[in-house]
Amino acid sequence: DECFYRVSCINSSSCDRIQRKQGTSDVCYDSVAAKQLDPSFCKKIRSLHIKVGCYTYVASRTHNPPICDNIQQPDKREYCLRETARVS
């Protein structure tokens, strides 16, 4: 599992094959989104905490505040917007 996990975090199409136990696939999608700076992978994350962090990271690194609109919780969305503005 560990070997497959390491490979799949490089190749996003394999993240779907990782078992969802202990949020391993969430971490994989988060890693791929961060590497590719692509928020579409954040949508696949089930863990709310990881998903918010994913969107915040991609938004701040790409200087793209509208990505924060994918975050449903107002306080977390505001944090994302602040972080994006801070980095810009």
Side-chain angles (χ1 to χ4, degrees):
D1 281 349
E2 182 66 25
C3 178
F4 184 75
Y5 170 72
R6 289 175 193 254
V7 171
S8 67
C9 286
I10 296 167
N11 180 355
S12 63
S13 63
S14 300
C15 287
D16 291 332
R17 292 190 221 152
I18 293 179
Q19 292 181 354
R20 289 215 172 253
K21 66 180 179 180
Q22 299 175 357
T24 306
S25 62
D26 286 350
V27 173
C28 181
Y29 288 124
D30 184 47
S31 178
V32 172
K35 288 176 185 171
Q36 296 185 13
L37 296 177
D38 184 346
S40 66
F41 295 105
C42 301
K43 291 179 184 179
K44 298 181 178 192
I45 297 172
R46 290 182 178 183
S47 164
L48 182 60
H49 178 71
I50 296 172
K51 183 179 281 195
V52 167
C54 183
Y55 282 127
T56 301
Y57 180 81
V58 174
S60 65
R61 297 287 296 178
T62 60
H63 311 289
N64 190 353
I67 292 173
C68 298
D69 293 338
N70 291 296
I71 300 172
Q72 300 300 313
Q73 302 80 4
D75 60 325
K76 307 279 190 220
R77 186 180 323 111
E78 288 301 318
Y79 174 77
C80 178
L81 292 168
R82 283 194 309 273
E83 285 298 302
T84 303
R86 187 175 67 84
V87 174
S88 298

